Amino acid sequence: MIFQLIRMKLHFNHLLLRALTFRSSTHGFPDKSLFSTGVSVHAPVFYKSSVEAIKDIPSGSKLLVGGFGLCGVPDNLLAGLVRTGVSNLTVVSDSAGTDEHGLGQLVKTRQIKRILASFIGNNKEFERQYLQGEIEVEFTPQGTLAERIRAGGAGIPAFYTSTGVGTMVHKGGSPIKYNTNGTVCTQSQEKEHREFNKRTFLLEEAIIGDFALVKAKMADKAGNLVFSKTARNFNPPMCKAAKITIAEVEELVEIGEIPPDRVHVPAIYVQRVVQGEKLIKNIEFSTSTENASNKTNTDAKTATEHSKEIIARRTACEFKNGMYANLGIGIPTLAVDFIPKNISVFLQSENGLLGMGPEPAAADVDADLINAGKKAISCIPGSSFFSSDESFAMIRGGHIDLTVLGGMQVSENGDLANWMVPGRKVRGMGGAMDLVSAPATRVIVTMLHNEKDGSPKILEMCTLPLTGEHCVDLIITELAVFKLDSQGLTLVELCEDVDLERVRSSTGAKFQVASDLKPMEQA
């Protein structure tokens, strides 16, 4: 008799827990439509509004916020945080959005105390607050950030990576907080390192958040999530690394409408779901073939544009048939237009696309399909989409044959600086540190030969914070092409109508001249 009473009490408690778990966010009653499915007590709670879904987030919380630029960002949830007025937040996100959108909403209202990010991007207000000591910033290489989040979700406390070796990430000194007079108040500390197979690796700690705010294309009533194209980015790993994951979705469907083999994030990682009140689809740089054509037809090329085209045409000569390549923002992306028609190259974009195509027609612009420069793009047949942690597994694992980056400075021994001018210009390193540290990946730097004031960019030693040590294999400028190897810096090609003396006077480093010096190739 006693055992029967115990079993009855346990059964009653079980039913009560189910009822509390499936409560309605607006009425406090269970959603009866879910009971008939046999969903367990761990199923997520579904909310009617974004504010209801996030209203219990307290000040001082650590938030993991999905998205890349403005793509895949949970704008409705962020707007809800603005309404609740929660403050003193620590935010982990790839970038800071823009002045008006994405995380820019919380920056504008000064609700963020500290952010861990890889790229500030085009948020001028964020940059201003950082340089004036009003917000703290911990810059983290994009691939390291993705892996720290992935490790947090997998229960791995720390890991070793070669990304950032020899830079401020390794040695410390990166400004976290400035004083109001522009001096550094707080800076990063040196990281522990260790040798593996004669290479140096840094110890990086995992990231776990109190709450994750993510954006998905679709959820079913079990809580499984599906993402659209490059809007996947940082969202999946962040779902797994938080104590409570809150998913903003565009569409909510019944259980069974998402085939099991099409689920991107299983329901076990999702605690709350809300269908966004507004369908927000912003693109930072909305470009199309029509826009590009109009610009070409109406604007005469400036001297700088002409120089960049010379560099892009020469860069295109480096692509080989069947190659996997990653292109940084700026000049590197211009090279795509000059790839020979008989060459097939799979371009990888670190925000989650392998098989990047050209700019789309205006009618085909899709806010869920952007490149690492936050511009609308297309994809080619045979392409694939994936999350940011998967993207950097490709990069760190040495599966990318070639990476092409822009540069601020390159030293004669192959050091690269391209992410910060301390106290003046801050964008963040993005994925560049990961790309240049990848084994078996050839690194090409494309840049104008000199600064606007005429000072050289190729130097004996870099004076700006490094992106990587001894990592550059080839430099392409509008004047010349230099090879870097164990013999040092060697001039191998000269642009048409450029003589050797001009290159010497424009270069701030010692270099050798190849015995078979050639005219610069052009695609």
Side-chain angles (χ1 to χ4, degrees):
M1 181 67 178
I2 294 175
F3 290 112
Q4 288 178 329
L5 289 173
I6 292 173
R7 282 197 297 268
M8 289 175 65
K9 183 173 179 58
L10 289 174
H11 182 63
F12 174 80
N13 288 341
H14 177 69
L15 292 176
L16 178 62
L17 180 59
R18 285 170 64 96
L20 290 174
T21 301
F22 294 128
R23 70 189 182 278
S24 164
S25 63
T26 54
H27 302 295
F29 294 108
D31 182 346
K32 295 181 180 178
S33 66
L34 295 176
F35 281 101
S36 61
T37 65
V39 178
S40 77
V41 294
H42 296 291
V45 181
F46 293 82
Y47 290 83
K48 300 295 184 182
S49 75
S50 296
V51 171
E52 285 290 323
I54 55 85
K55 70 179 182 180
D56 63 339
I57 294 179
S59 293
S61 294
K62 187 174 185 178
L63 306 183
L64 312 183
V65 180
F68 184 91
L70 299 180
C71 182
V73 173
D75 280 287
N76 287 289
L77 292 177
L78 295 175
L81 288 176
V82 172
R83 290 179 61 185
T84 66
V86 64
S87 62
N88 200 36
L89 297 171
T90 294
V91 175
V92 180
S93 184
D94 173 64
S95 57
T98 63
D99 289 329
E100 301 296 332
H101 302 289
L103 277 178
Q105 299 174 76
L106 299 179
V107 172
K108 192 175 182 179
T109 52
R110 301 176 184 274
Q111 292 172 260
I112 300 175
K113 176 187 176 182
R114 184 185 181 100
I115 186 169
L116 284 73
S118 73
F119 195 69
I120 286 181
N122 296 288
N123 193 325
K124 298 295 184 183
E125 174 60 15
F126 191 103
E127 185 176 40
R128 186 199 65 77
Q129 288 187 27
Y130 171 53
L131 294 176
Q132 294 188 11
E134 298 172 16
I135 195 168
E136 299 173 7
V137 179
E138 180 184 330
F139 280 113
T140 303
Q142 191 177 138
T144 297
L145 183 65
E147 188 64 11
R148 289 178 68 187
I149 297 165
R150 190 205 68 80
I156 299 170
F159 60 91
Y160 284 98
T161 176
S162 62
T163 298
V165 169
T167 72
M168 280 183 168
V169 172
H170 176 188
K171 299 177 180 179
S174 178
I176 291 175
K177 183 178 170 113
Y178 282 96
N179 293 309
T180 54
N181 63 1
T183 58
V184 177
C185 173
T186 309
Q187 62 185 22
S188 63
Q189 301 301 304
E190 183 175 0
K191 289 187 184 293
E192 179 183 334
H193 65 272
R194 184 176 169 184
E195 302 296 317
F196 294 92
N197 298 320
K198 299 182 180 180
R199 292 184 66 200
T200 302
F201 292 79
L202 307 182
L203 183 66
E204 293 282 0
E205 294 185 8
I207 292 174
I208 297 175
D210 298 314
F211 297 86
L213 308 183
V214 302
K215 168 73 178 299
K217 174 71 174 177
M218 183 185 300
D220 64 18
K221 289 188 177 179
N224 296 306
L225 302 181
V226 173
F227 299 89
S228 175
K229 302 171 185 172
T230 59
R232 195 180 311 187
N233 53 63
F234 273 84
N235 282 299
M238 286 181 169
C239 287
K240 305 169 187 179
K243 298 169 187 174
I244 297 176
T245 291
I246 308 172
E248 172 189 323
V249 302
E250 295 176 21
E251 185 179 355
L252 184 61
V253 300
E254 297 297 325
I255 293 175
E257 291 190 44
I258 301 175
D261 62 349
R262 295 292 185 267
V263 171
H264 294 148
V265 170
I268 194 171
Y269 298 113
V270 182
Q271 284 72 48
R272 305 179 188 178
V273 178
V274 61
Q275 189 168 5
E277 294 89 335
K278 297 179 181 178
L279 182 61
I280 302 171
K281 294 275 194 176
N282 294 304
I283 303 179
E284 283 191 51
F285 304 102
S286 185
T287 57
S288 66
T289 52
E290 287 86 341
N291 292 339
S293 177
N294 290 336
K295 186 179 188 306
T296 301
N297 294 335
T298 59
D299 298 338
K301 286 182 181 176
T302 65
T304 299
E305 289 171 337
H306 179 67
S307 295
K308 289 180 178 180
E309 183 174 318
I310 291 173
I311 299 169
R313 287 183 176 277
R314 174 58 185 84
T315 302
C317 298
E318 296 297 316
F319 296 119
K320 308 301 179 188
N321 195 44
M323 175 180 281
Y324 293 110
N326 182 290
L327 306 182
I329 61 177
I331 295 176
T333 58
L334 300 178
V336 175
D337 294 335
F338 304 107
I339 297 177
K341 299 300 183 184
N342 62 331
I343 295 292
S344 176
V345 178
F346 272 80
L347 300 176
Q348 195 246 24
S349 189
E350 61 219 49
N351 57 312
L353 169 61
L354 183 63
M356 184 169 58
E359 291 182 349
D364 297 325
V365 168
D366 184 344
D368 289 338
L369 183 50
I370 64 168
N371 64 11
K374 286 84 173 179
K375 293 183 178 180
I377 52 168
S378 63
C379 55
I380 64 174
S383 60
S384 56
F385 297 104
F386 34 84
S387 59
S388 293
D389 52 333
E390 182 72 39
S391 177
F392 282 94
M394 296 176 188
I395 292 168
R396 283 194 311 275
H399 303 287
I400 304 298
D401 301 305
L402 175 71
T403 186
V404 185
L405 298 169
M408 293 178 180
Q409 295 177 344
V410 179
S411 75
E412 63 185 37
N413 64 355
D415 297 341
L416 170 65
N418 75 346
W419 71 280
M420 174 192 278
V421 180
R424 184 164 63 87
K425 183 179 181 181
V426 183
R427 289 290 182 269
M429 70 282 288
M433 286 188 181
D434 305 276
L435 286 160
V436 301
S437 68
T441 299
R442 188 161 175 258
V443 176
I444 296 176
V445 171
T446 60
M447 62 183 184
L448 297 174
H449 204 93
N450 299 90
E451 297 283 1
K452 291 180 180 178
D453 63 3
S455 57
K457 292 185 176 182
I458 303 174
L459 306 167
E460 289 186 13
M461 294 180 61
C462 293
T463 60
L464 297 175
L466 294 185
T467 303
E469 289 186 317
H470 315 301
C471 58
V472 180
D473 296 297
L474 198 72
I475 305 170
I476 301 174
T477 77
E478 77 278 21
L479 302 184
V481 178
F482 293 89
K483 179 178 69 174
L484 294 107
D485 55 22
S486 59
Q487 304 303 311
L489 184 66
T490 303
L491 175 67
V492 293
E493 295 178 26
L494 271 179
C495 185
E496 185 181 7
D497 299 328
V498 175
D499 58 34
L500 182 57
E501 185 52 40
R502 181 180 173 188
V503 175
R504 289 191 189 281
S505 64
S506 301
T507 305
K510 301 183 293 293
F511 62 86
Q512 305 173 61
V513 179
S515 57
D516 59 343
L517 182 64
K518 301 174 183 176
M520 185 186 290
E521 290 186 67
Q522 291 280 279

